[in-house]
Structure formats: structure tokens, C-alpha cells
Amino acid sequence: MRRYAAATAAALSLTAALAAPAAADGEGDGEWRPVTYSPIDYAAGVRCDFAFRIEQLVDEVMVKTVDTYPDGSPKTELYKGTLIARVINTETGAFYDADASGRSVVEYAEDGSQVWHATGPVLIGFQEGQGNLPRGEYVVDGVYTVQFSPAGQRTVTWTGGTESLIDVCDQID
């Protein structure tokens, strides 16, 4: 069975950077449905030098499945909606409010890989050696793709327009 992990927004936000969302009932019916992100904690050294928590301040993300595999699992989904996540340094209380309200088309492959075709900001994290960005938690913005391998390797590629990358760890250390 295929892995179903969506993120972010964004889906997104994907995300992937946030906790994996749980979609409401109605999956695969072509209707927009809410996505719910749960708070998530990261230990010191995993993504930032310090421990941090991500909590959603505004979570209005919606997902729509537009194509499925024969077994009913999603092949292509659309994500849209406002997502504001607070990233909190749990050691100092310092925080950064990240706009992760980008829009995306997410393609899920049968091998568990994913490709996000995104526009606008998403919050995405990298562990050491996990992809083409250094270890950290980032707000990625612009027009770009994020490719996830079945093993979780991540590659961000800007495809047009203005590129923006905010290192959230630097904002709250």
C-alpha cells in the first residue's frame, strides 16, 4: 500500500514541515475538505540547535483529491488556504510566526515519492543530510517544486519568479 503523507501547503505544506495532516471524511470525492495539522515537537539538534515546537495559529487549509489510483489512494491533490504556524524555541520562549499559506499540486507516486508544485510560502524542515538544504526549518517562498524520495530525501527547486528562503532557526535562536 502506498504511503500517504501530505504536507503542506501547503501544503505543502505542505510540509511536510509540519505534522502530517489528517484529512476529513470524503477523501477522493473531488470536494474540498479541511486538513488538520497537530502541534509537533523537535528535539535539539534534529533541525535547529535548540528544541522547538510548531503550533498552528490559523489553520484553514483545504485539500481536494483530483485523481486517484485504482485502490482509491490519492494520486494528485490540490492544497490551498491560510496556514500560520508559530515556531517556538522551547528553551527560551522566543518564537517566529511563519506564513505557510502557499498553494500546491501534490503528485503521489506508487513508490511513496511525492512532488509538490507550489506557489507561495510553505514551512519545511530538513535534518542533516536529508536534502539540498542544510539542517534547519525554513519558510520557502516563490514558485518551486519540492521532491520527496521514498526514503524522505527532499529537494527544493525554484522554477520561476522571486526566490525566498527564511531560516526560521536563525529567527528564534
Side-chain angles (χ1 to χ4, degrees):
M1 175 163 232
R2 279 175 218 88
R3 278 188 337 188
Y4 177 128
T8 240
L12 355 231
S13 155
L14 248 245
T15 165
L18 302 170
D25 290 339
E27 201 165 281
D29 63 5
E31 298 295 322
W32 288 103
R33 60 197 186 280
V35 176
T36 302
Y37 294 94
S38 298
I40 187 166
D41 294 289
Y42 291 95
V46 174
R47 292 186 175 175
C48 298
D49 291 339
F50 49 86
F52 70 94
R53 178 178 182 84
I54 300 174
E55 299 176 351
Q56 290 55 249
L57 299 177
V58 179
D59 187 353
E60 298 171 353
V61 176
M62 302 291 284
V63 62
K64 179 181 194 178
T65 302
V66 294
D67 194 14
T68 59
Y69 286 99
D71 68 359
S73 62
K75 185 175 185 178
T76 307
E77 292 186 313
L78 308 177
Y79 286 82
K80 68 176 184 175
T82 303
L83 180 61
I84 308 297
R86 177 162 286 174
V87 183
I88 307 161
N89 179 328
T90 56
E91 297 167 8
T92 67
F95 65 88
Y96 179 82
D97 291 340
D99 180 354
S101 302
R103 296 173 148 265
S104 66
V105 176
V106 179
E107 297 174 341
Y108 303 96
E110 292 185 279
D111 66 359
S113 63
Q114 301 176 25
V115 178
W116 299 354
H117 304 275
T119 302
V122 299
L123 184 64
I124 184 167
F126 286 77
Q127 295 180 22
E128 190 68 41
Q130 192 178 34
N132 68 332
L133 294 176
R135 176 179 64 101
E137 191 73 24
Y138 300 95
V139 176
V140 177
D141 200 353
V143 178
Y144 53 94
T145 61
V146 181
Q147 294 180 307
F148 293 84
S149 76
Q153 288 292 112
R154 300 152 188 232
T155 303
V156 176
T157 306
W158 280 271
T159 58
T162 303
E163 301 174 10
S164 177
L165 184 68
I166 297 170
D167 184 336
V168 176
C169 299
D170 286 349
Q171 304 296 313
I172 59 173
D173 63 356

